[in-house]
Amino acid sequence: MLGRLNHVAIAVPDLAAASAQYRTMLGADVTDPQALPEHGVTVVFIKLPNTKIELLEPLGEGSPIAAFLSKNPSGGMHHVCYEVEDILAARDRLRNEGARVLGDGEPKIGAHNKPVLFLHPKDFNGTLIELEQV
Ligand code: CO
């Protein structure tokens, strides 16, 4: 069911500073910031030859990463995103296996204009998993 690793996401307290650090210290190719109000985050992507890194900053009230950053004030690894071919089939299979899908279980449109879902970290060894249909 799982395809490629699409990205690893890191929550950061200051997106501009983190982007600048990746650009200048690490010599990375960083996209412009993209606000995703429906997800409560602003993101940039760092393009690597084999995958991407997503940097996330809270956007608006009640951002889902605000609590994470209050526990991890300097930032930290937040989720991994795996590609799937059919997100509804993946969701139904996971539910049948007893995994919890976050939110109302309906895919939302993610940063790449493709449907995404998140799976409960307690069901996956403490790792928040994002699935993206490609
Ligand atoms: Co992501």
Side-chain angles (χ1 to χ4, degrees):
M1 183 175 82
L2 288 187
R4 298 188 322 155
L5 173 68
N6 186 277
H7 59 267
V8 174
I10 300 170
V12 301
D14 182 338
L15 189 60
S19 298
Q21 182 187 50
Y22 267 84
R23 264 193 205 102
T24 59
M25 285 177 75
L26 297 170
D29 182 3
V30 184
T31 64
D32 289 330
Q34 185 184 358
L36 300 173
E38 201 188 345
H39 296 273
V41 292
T42 304
V43 305
V44 300
F45 282 92
I46 295 152
K47 297 174 194 164
L48 303 177
N50 61 339
T51 188
K52 297 187 280 288
I53 302 297
E54 177 180 43
L55 303 181
L56 302 158
E57 179 186 66
L59 173 65
E61 296 298 309
S63 168
I65 63 166
F68 180 90
L69 280 171
S70 67
K71 280 183 233 150
N72 305 276
S74 54
M77 223 192 75
H78 186 261
H79 65 266
V80 295
C81 177
Y82 301 122
E83 297 180 355
V84 294
E85 282 187 10
D86 183 336
I87 200 161
L88 294 177
R91 176 197 65 188
D92 293 345
R93 170 174 162 164
L94 286 159
R95 277 184 169 160
N96 285 338
E97 299 288 336
R100 287 168 284 179
V101 178
L102 298 188
D104 62 6
E106 292 308 312
K108 288 185 184 173
I109 297 302
H112 306 115
N113 284 319
K114 293 180 175 155
V116 301
L117 282 173
F118 287 88
L119 307 176
H120 201 298
K122 289 200 171 132
D123 296 338
F124 293 95
N125 315 290
T127 305
L128 178 61
I129 292 178
E130 178 179 19
L131 298 177
E132 180 175 297
Q133 180 170 289
V134 293

